[in-house]
Amino acid sequence: MPNPKPKLILVHEPEKACFGRLVGDGFPSERALEITSYLAQSTDLAPEFDALAAACDRRGLAFAPVELDNAASALAEADPSTTLVWTLTDGIAYFRGGAAPALARLDGLRTIGADDSLFALCQDKFRSGAVLGALGLPVPQAGLARDGKWLVEPPASAAGWFVKPNRLGAKIGIWPDSRVSELDHALELSRRVFACYRDDVVVQPYVAGRNARASFLGLKPDTGVEALGIAFVDSGGDFQTMQDSLALYGETGEAARAAGAYIEPELVAVGDSQPAADARIRRIAERLIQGLGLRDVFSIDLRVEADDTVHLIEFEVCPGLPCFDFRDYCRAQWGLSLADAMAEAAANRLGDGLRRG
């Protein structure tokens, strides 16, 4: 009897399923649409599932995209000796993708990406900031407010503060007035965020600099920080709002592009103009890999000042794979399309496991 073909299972939470659940939970349709827009990488990648299947087949793998609601049964039926699970969409609050790596672990299946504990940590910005600070990383200190009341007061800041949701959207400020000069304004924003999204807000001292992103895909299990793609992401604004985010992905992004309301941000390699900052970001990534356990696929968002001061804003264990920046990274670093890069990483991970098994 022939050996079963190794298989890559890609678990993803569709926008539509999440939208229905949020509306059923009492969110107005407009807010539910905004929230579910963060799952648009499922929408954007779905048209490429055939290309992914073909790329996997060329490398001797089967490919199975599985919607999150079907993941428990699909993973329970999978063969631990020949299966690799890749979780496309994360979440512990509005979204539920963080359950997938936990289910995989429960069923004894290998995964690509960080372990399930980091899926939970990265979605809670206040807690993750505390852990990153304990690791000695340059993350801004933070206060925490809920519906107009301080749970933790923020530190003093001569430059003002930046206000963002704790569990929704990571670094975005939701509204254009999310940089504030008065803490009363921060509390007002916390009331607005709570009313609209039922979330707390993180209030951090405002840090200057250009927005930068470090992208990573470990094509081979021993790939290190030399493979990071580190670029300034210049979109014309100081920070991203909800409206900016809606223009990046999914159906809302398609509409924005069709209407001419979206200009793709420019990517410029940090090392071209600030090699010292590039080196610092690689050391930060190395610390995240060693001290936190990031691996295989992740991204890091940062602010870089002109004097090479680097501020770590957040890390993501489910970076936006179909987004322009990660596609550009796959082409520039690996010379591969997104589908081929994903399939190659999965084949190498499975092959390494099969050899060791």
Side-chain angles (χ1 to χ4, degrees), residues 69 81 207:
D69 287 337
S81 68
V207 293

Side-chain angles (χ1 to χ4, degrees), residues 227-346:
L228 275 175
I230 307 172
F232 290 117
V233 185
D234 293 325
S235 58
D238 186 35
F239 58 87
Q240 192 179 95
T241 65
M242 173 64 81
Q243 200 61 41
D244 296 331
S245 179
L246 288 171
L248 288 175
Y249 312 103
E251 294 179 1
T252 55
E254 289 180 10
R257 287 187 286 273
Y262 169 72
I263 299 175
E264 190 169 284
E266 183 181 2
L267 297 173
V268 180
V270 171
D272 287 350
S273 59
Q274 295 186 241
D278 180 278
R280 287 181 180 179
I281 292 169
R282 293 181 194 277
R283 290 195 293 272
I284 288 170
E286 187 69 42
R287 182 65 171 146
L288 287 168
I289 291 169
Q290 294 177 347
L292 204 59
L294 290 187
R295 64 169 197 162
D296 298 335
V297 58
F298 58 84
S299 66
I300 309 168
D301 285 293
L302 313 107
R303 298 273 274 188
V304 179
E305 298 192 49
D307 65 357
D308 296 324
T309 298
V310 174
H311 306 277
L312 172 60
I313 304 302
E314 66 162 0
F315 68 92
E316 288 288 350
V317 295
C318 282
L321 300 185
C323 197
F324 71 96
D325 60 304
F326 203 86
R327 290 182 188 276
D328 181 85
Y329 164 71
C330 290
R331 288 191 298 266
Q333 177 64 39
W334 299 116
L336 296 171
S337 68
L338 176 62
D340 277 310
M342 292 176 67
E344 184 73 12

Side-chain angles (χ1 to χ4, degrees), residues 123-260:
Q123 287 292 297
D124 188 311
K125 302 307 169 186
F126 185 76
R127 293 178 183 176
S128 66
V131 173
L132 296 173
L135 286 171
L137 292 164
V139 61
Q141 289 183 279
L144 187 69
R146 177 181 301 154
D147 195 18
K149 297 179 180 178
W150 292 116
L151 301 178
V152 178
E153 292 194 13
S157 173
W161 297 266
F162 187 68
V163 183
K164 60 186 180 182
N166 187 44
R167 299 176 302 170
L168 176 67
K171 62 190 170 296
I172 76 164
I174 300 292
W175 298 290
D177 61 340
S178 294
R179 180 184 175 184
V180 305
S181 58
E182 302 290 340
L183 287 177
D184 285 347
H185 190 177
L187 291 177
E188 172 56 28
L189 286 172
S190 82
R191 284 187 282 269
R192 284 160 56 187
V193 167
F194 191 83
C196 291
Y197 307 106
R198 307 178 192 173
D199 200 6
D200 301 338
V201 296
V202 171
V203 181
Q204 296 175 315
Y206 174 82
V207 293
R210 296 170 69 184
N211 296 315
R213 174 167 295 163
S215 299
F216 181 85
L217 177 63
L219 220 65
K220 297 180 179 180
D222 59 352
T223 303
V225 297
E226 73 283 351
L228 275 175
I230 307 172
F232 290 117
V233 185
D234 293 325
S235 58
D238 186 35
F239 58 87
Q240 192 179 95
T241 65
M242 173 64 81
Q243 200 61 41
D244 296 331
S245 179
L246 288 171
L248 288 175
Y249 312 103
E251 294 179 1
T252 55
E254 289 180 10
R257 287 187 286 273

Side-chain angles (χ1 to χ4, degrees), residues 4 6-7 78-84 107-110 350 353-355 357:
K7 178 186 287 187
D79 182 350
S81 68
T82 58
T83 302
L84 181 70
D107 292 318
L109 303 171
R110 280 167 290 170
L350 266 170
L354 292 172
R355 286 191 294 272

